[in-house]
């Protein structure tokens, strides 16, 4: 039996399990979603958003791409943020990176990766912003891990730059923006404890959209 065929068998089993604990489970799901969290993470197959956080269907809105990026002119992630914040009214927006991220590693290498070049250039930009700190780290593994963390932080900044987040936060106090890193080697989620209020104040010096007036 191939993995592909297993998927449908697994699905049938999952449907039975869900119905066994709640006969109306799918009937309830069909009524709509009310997620509290928007999760923006990497497409990496080892970083399973729902599995590692234990959320149930309907509880977390998910967007995944290579290296968990929120580029300023990317309409895909921007549409996800707009919909999640303005319409679903999520209370938390999470950018989750992970150690051993192939996207981050590729961005550190001198290689032409075709269409991936402009995408991964966003990570090189993160490196340039934090060049002094990163160049001071001599251990390559440590430097790579730190770039993963700084990339998460910069993508959080990109989330906070958006009008929809600034508007919603000014009028409701939500969403709060968080940065996480998943450690593939231990399975643990690490909260980078980004000070959202401070970050918002700091970046509004330049990216203020007049939402507080
Ligand atoms: Co990755």
């Amino acid at each position: 039996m191939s993995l592909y065929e297993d998927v449908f068998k697994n699905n049938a089993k999952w449907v039975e399990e869900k119905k066994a604990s709640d006969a109306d489970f799918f009937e309830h799901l069909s009524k709509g979603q009310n997620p509290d969290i928007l999760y923006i993470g990497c497409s990496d197959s080892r970083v399973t958003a729902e599995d590692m956080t234990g959320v149930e269907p309907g509880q977390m809105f998910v967007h995944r791409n290579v290296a968990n990026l929120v580029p300023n002119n990317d309409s895909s992630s921007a549409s996800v943020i707009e919909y999640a914040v303005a319409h679903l009214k999520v209370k938390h927006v999470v950018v989750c990176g992970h150690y051993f991220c192939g996207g981050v590693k590729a961005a550190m290498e001198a290689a032409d990766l075709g269409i991936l070049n402009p995408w991964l250039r966003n990570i090189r930009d993160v490196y340039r912003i934090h060049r002094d700190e990163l160049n001071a780290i001599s251990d390559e593994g440590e430097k790579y891990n730190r770039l993963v963390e700084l990339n998460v932080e910069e993508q959080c900044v990109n989330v906070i730059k958006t009008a929809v987040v600034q508007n919603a936060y000014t009028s409701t106090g939500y969403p709060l923006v968080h940065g996480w890193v998943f450690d593939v080697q231990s399975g643990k989620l690490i909260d980078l404890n980004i000070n959202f209020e401070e970050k918002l104040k700091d970046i509004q010096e330049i990216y203020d959209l007049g939402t507080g007036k």
Side-chain angles (χ1 to χ4, degrees):
M1 190 69 84
S2 72
L3 176 66
Y4 181 79
E5 286 161 349
D6 279 348
V7 163
F8 291 91
K9 264 180 44 194
N10 294 343
N11 172 255
K13 204 171 131 219
W14 176 73
V15 169
E16 287 318 310
E17 280 168 9
K18 286 290 178 196
K19 281 181 172 172
S21 59
D22 175 5
D24 299 324
F25 183 81
F26 293 102
E27 182 57 28
H28 285 147
L29 266 194
S30 70
K31 298 274 190 282
Q33 58 172 331
N34 188 23
D36 248 10
I37 301 171
L38 163 60
Y39 170 98
I40 300 169
C42 185
S43 297
D44 192 304
S45 58
R46 300 165 296 178
V47 189
T48 56
E50 289 90 347
D51 246 29
M52 71 180 182
T53 55
V55 297
E56 288 293 322
Q59 293 181 329
M60 191 161 82
F61 204 61
V62 172
H63 180 70
R64 291 169 68 178
N65 60 35
V66 173
N68 43 271
L69 296 176
V70 186
N72 287 313
N73 59 356
D74 171 40
S75 56
S76 179
S77 56
S79 301
V80 168
I81 293 168
E82 180 80 25
Y83 186 64
V85 174
H87 300 274
L88 296 173
K89 302 190 188 311
V90 295
K91 291 201 157 67
H92 304 273
V93 177
V94 172
V95 176
C96 183
H98 67 102
Y99 298 137
F100 308 99
C101 182
V104 172
K105 189 158 196 288
M108 290 175 79
E109 286 163 1
D112 179 354
L113 299 170
I115 191 66
L116 276 167
N117 291 339
W119 187 256
L120 298 178
R121 201 174 296 143
N122 291 290
I123 300 168
R124 291 185 192 252
D125 290 342
V126 172
Y127 196 109
R128 180 165 50 79
I129 294 167
H130 299 278
R131 184 193 331 218
D132 292 346
E133 179 186 341
L134 289 164
N135 282 350
I137 304 171
S138 54
D139 183 86
E140 281 305 309
E142 260 177 56
K143 187 188 284 196
Y144 171 27
N145 286 354
R146 185 62 187 139
L147 181 56
V148 165
E149 295 168 1
L150 290 169
N151 180 45
V152 166
E153 204 172 312
E154 288 301 327
Q155 303 317 313
C156 286
V157 167
N158 287 346
V159 171
I160 302 168
K161 283 177 192 167
T162 63
V164 69
V165 168
Q166 291 189 23
N167 273 321
Y169 184 73
T170 302
S171 58
T172 69
Y174 291 105
L176 304 177
V177 179
H178 312 269
W180 296 350
V181 172
F182 175 70
D183 182 2
V184 178
Q185 210 164 29
S186 69
K188 286 194 176 143
L189 259 184
I190 300 155
D191 188 347
L192 295 177
N193 289 315
I194 286 169
N195 188 327
F196 172 63
E197 277 276 346
E198 200 181 277
K199 270 266 182 277
L200 179 68
K201 246 188 229 147
D202 181 48
I203 72 166
Q204 274 192 332
E205 186 187 334
I206 297 168
Y207 302 96
D208 184 11
L209 300 171
T211 55
K213 287 162 199 153

